[in-house]
Amino acid sequence: MTTGVILPVLAPTVGFRYSQPLEFNMITSQSLDYVAILLFWVLKASCLDTFIAAVYEHAVIFPNVTLTPVSHEEALDLMNQNLDLLEGAITLAAKQGAHIIVTPEDAIYSFAFSRESIYPYLEDIPDPQVDWIPCNNPNRFGRTPVQERLSCLAKSNSIYVVANIGDKKPCSASDPQCPPDGRYQYNTDVVFDSEGRLVARYHKQNLFLTESHFNAPKEPEVVTFNTTFGKFGIFTCFDILFHDPAVTLVKDFHVDTILFPTAWMNVLPHLSAIEFHSAWAVGMGVNFLAANLHYRITKMTGSGIYAPDSPKAFHYDMKTEEGKLLLSHLDAHPRPRAAVNWTSYASGIEAPSVGNGEFNSTVFFDEYTFLELKGITGNYTVCQKDLCCHLSYQMSEKRSDEVYALGAFDGLHTVEGSYYLQICTLLKCRTMDLHTCGESVETASTRFEMFSLSGTFGTQYVFPEVLLSEVQLAPGEFQVSSDGRLFSLKPLSGPVLTVTLFGRLYEKDPVPNASSDFTVQAPRVMFIVITSIVYLLS
């Protein structure tokens, strides 16, 4: 084909034919190619290698104690009081350059409701596919003042806002799972982008035992969204202990950063908020933005911005009643960590025969097998079922007023949820009595010059924890090797509370069913008791 041939083309807007030279077509085609290439590089240039993340630990304002539902106006008044505080944090974070801010679970209306008393606080939250900016069109989906305000906060501050609110969805008798009151109620995370657009909605899957006022979705929801500073996934609080959707988001959907609103009650020695959340970031190889409520009576504190290699910012405060805003730079696309064979090193160590001074003690209702550390330095191995844990260590001094032990647990945990664990732990016992090993303790005096902890784990999902006295983390002071050792890089900066490898065998978890799901069957008396205790103590 040569240039100059005339090709007829149908005009798009009028009913006649016209002719256009092929050379003009070729120029247009080349121009489109150029525009496509230019657009690619513009988009690439707009993508950020790093971003500023913010999390806000919120001291929530509670409603007055009542089992009778309040009016929608009274509920909105309480929520606006909390939103006033959140607005201050969001505005301050935006002024400091934050691209995204995470606020806690239950931050807008608190917790400890009945199914009826939570209802006035709920709104209908649509699927983000509807492409909705509540700030611009607040009445499109009925009366949604909370979503409108969150959207306007995001838009006016040009920041992504992550919040936790309640969703309500009507259902009919044709749905066999429809609750008797004709509606589903969901513990829900929402994300508004920097233009105020609703870009994500997640219904919490794994409800805690006090959440009988909410329903779990019929299937776990896997929620992601893309930004110029990475791919994000989101889940809530208790979800972190289970495979779906938490592990699925990382393993199958390859998110860069997890958003984590939570109302986390600290449980030492292994489930303190900053301890476990930072360990999950390391174990899964993702950024993790955790925003906790601040309520000392129920031991709720501990928020952080965690990278896969080390915590970037964290906060733990059991002394004041104040909230806290944290900010830090993060890589938009963290480097994938090298694969870890969590059983390689420990499986090469010969398991000792029993009868070397093992004793049993309880850690959070689970019976561990322990060995006391009797010297200033040593090598110990302790086993339970299929798990053998090996420890090499050197203390700065062997104090006469503190006892440390190496423990192993391989079994199903059944209190406040059922999930299968394999745990190797070095921990300080609460007193000199060995039977207090595993009880909650927040202070220690013994420093360690070095440690190396490993175990014969039957899972690839192992989360490495190092917690120091006064419930503090140890950024940059330890590392995980490819053969499964958690080891110190230098003498630790503070006395040790625990060094732990927290393994999860998801495939051994019991299959949930309606008859055994306590989060669904929790009686009303549980709500009454918990509410009474919380408010009598406050």
Side-chain angles (χ1 to χ4, degrees), residues 44-71:
K44 185 173 182 179
S46 69
C47 293
L48 302 176
D49 293 327
T50 65
F51 68 101
I52 299 176
V55 301
Y56 179 55
E57 181 162 310
H58 173 53
V60 66
I61 300 172
F62 283 80
N64 294 326
V65 182
T66 176
L67 293 179
T68 304
V70 300
S71 67

Side-chain angles (χ1 to χ4, degrees), residues 153-221:
L153 284 172
K155 180 181 179 180
S156 61
N157 290 285
S158 297
I159 187 174
Y160 279 71
V161 172
V162 183
N164 177 264
I165 57 180
D167 189 10
K168 58 182 179 181
K169 291 288 181 284
C171 54
S172 66
S174 61
D175 178 357
Q177 299 182 36
C178 182
D181 54 19
R183 62 180 182 265
Y184 290 107
Q185 300 182 168
Y186 298 112
N187 180 333
T188 309
D189 299 327
V190 290
V191 182
F192 296 93
D193 69 11
S194 55
E195 296 179 345
R197 179 176 287 101
L198 178 67
V199 294
R201 179 196 68 185
Y202 168 70
H203 296 139
K204 183 177 180 180
Q205 179 65 37
N206 300 285
L207 299 173
F208 194 59
L209 60 87
T210 56
E211 293 187 275
S212 59
H213 49 292
F214 285 126
N215 302 104
K218 295 175 183 178
E219 297 291 338
E221 300 176 353

Side-chain angles (χ1 to χ4, degrees), residues 7 12 49 58 106 129 254 268 350 352 394 426 497 504:
L7 296 177
D49 293 327
H58 173 53
D106 299 332
Q129 292 183 359
H254 310 291
L268 291 169
E350 184 177 353
Q394 181 177 340
L426 156 68
L497 290 181
R504 278 287 283 115

Side-chain angles (χ1 to χ4, degrees), residues 209 238 242 363-367 409 411-421 508-510 516 518:
L209 60 87
F238 203 40
F242 301 91
V363 182
F364 192 31
F365 302 98
D366 298 324
E367 189 174 86
F409 177 73
L412 182 67
H413 176 82
T414 58
V415 175
E416 295 182 354
S418 293
Y419 40 90
Y420 201 98
L421 301 173
K508 288 191 174 185
D509 288 357
S516 64
F518 187 67

Side-chain angles (χ1 to χ4, degrees), residues 51-285:
F51 68 101
I52 299 176
V55 301
Y56 179 55
E57 181 162 310
H58 173 53
V60 66
I61 300 172
F62 283 80
N64 294 326
V65 182
T66 176
L67 293 179
T68 304
V70 300
S71 67
H72 288 287
E73 289 69 26
E74 289 174 294
L76 183 59
D77 179 68
L78 184 278
M79 291 190 286
N80 276 323
Q81 291 179 55
N82 280 299
L83 282 165
D84 289 344
L85 296 175
L86 297 183
E87 179 176 354
I90 292 167
T91 302
L92 182 57
K95 287 181 178 178
Q96 297 184 57
H99 296 85
I100 189 168
I101 182 170
V102 184
T103 61
E105 180 185 25
D106 299 332
I108 293 176
Y109 45 65
S110 78
F111 52 88
F113 289 94
S114 70
R115 184 172 178 84
E116 294 77 16
S117 65
I118 190 67
Y119 183 70
Y121 297 85
L122 309 181
E123 293 185 358
D124 185 0
I125 306 170
D127 189 308
Q129 292 183 359
V130 299
D131 190 22
W132 179 42
I133 300 177
C135 191
N136 297 348
N137 189 2
N139 298 316
R140 181 179 170 189
F141 296 98
R143 187 166 182 257
T144 55
V146 174
Q147 292 173 81
E148 177 187 355
R149 187 167 182 187
L150 290 169
S151 170
C152 291
L153 284 172
K155 180 181 179 180
S156 61
N157 290 285
S158 297
I159 187 174
Y160 279 71
V161 172
V162 183
N164 177 264
I165 57 180
D167 189 10
K168 58 182 179 181
K169 291 288 181 284
C171 54
S172 66
S174 61
D175 178 357
Q177 299 182 36
C178 182
D181 54 19
R183 62 180 182 265
Y184 290 107
Q185 300 182 168
Y186 298 112
N187 180 333
T188 309
D189 299 327
V190 290
V191 182
F192 296 93
D193 69 11
S194 55
E195 296 179 345
R197 179 176 287 101
L198 178 67
V199 294
R201 179 196 68 185
Y202 168 70
H203 296 139
K204 183 177 180 180
Q205 179 65 37
N206 300 285
L207 299 173
F208 194 59
L209 60 87
T210 56
E211 293 187 275
S212 59
H213 49 292
F214 285 126
N215 302 104
K218 295 175 183 178
E219 297 291 338
E221 300 176 353
V222 179
V223 175
T224 69
F225 62 95
N226 290 297
T227 72
T228 57
F229 48 96
K231 183 176 182 179
F232 288 76
I234 188 166
F235 56 83
T236 314
C237 202
F238 203 40
D239 283 327
I240 196 174
L241 284 167
F242 301 91
H243 187 277
D244 295 323
V247 174
T248 299
L249 281 166
V250 180
K251 181 181 177 183
D252 299 332
F253 287 79
H254 310 291
V255 298
D256 300 304
T257 302
I258 292 292
L259 308 172
F260 186 68
T262 185
W264 190 278
M265 293 179 286
N266 290 297
V267 179
L268 291 169
H270 301 141
L271 288 172
S272 171
I274 59 173
E275 171 190 27
F276 187 66
H277 303 160
S278 62
W280 203 90
V282 175
M284 297 303 298

Side-chain angles (χ1 to χ4, degrees), residues 267-271 275 359-371 403-409 423 425-442 497-498 500:
V267 179
L268 291 169
H270 301 141
L271 288 172
E275 171 190 27
F359 64 95
N360 294 329
S361 192
T362 301
V363 182
F364 192 31
F365 302 98
D366 298 324
E367 189 174 86
Y368 282 56
T369 303
F370 280 105
L371 278 174
V403 172
Y404 282 79
L406 171 66
F409 177 73
I423 295 178
T425 184
L426 156 68
L427 53 75
K428 181 202 168 187
C429 305
R430 188 173 62 84
T431 70
M432 300 298 290
D433 183 347
L434 295 181
H435 294 293
T436 66
C437 295
E439 294 182 10
S440 177
V441 57
E442 295 191 359
L497 290 181
T498 179
T500 300

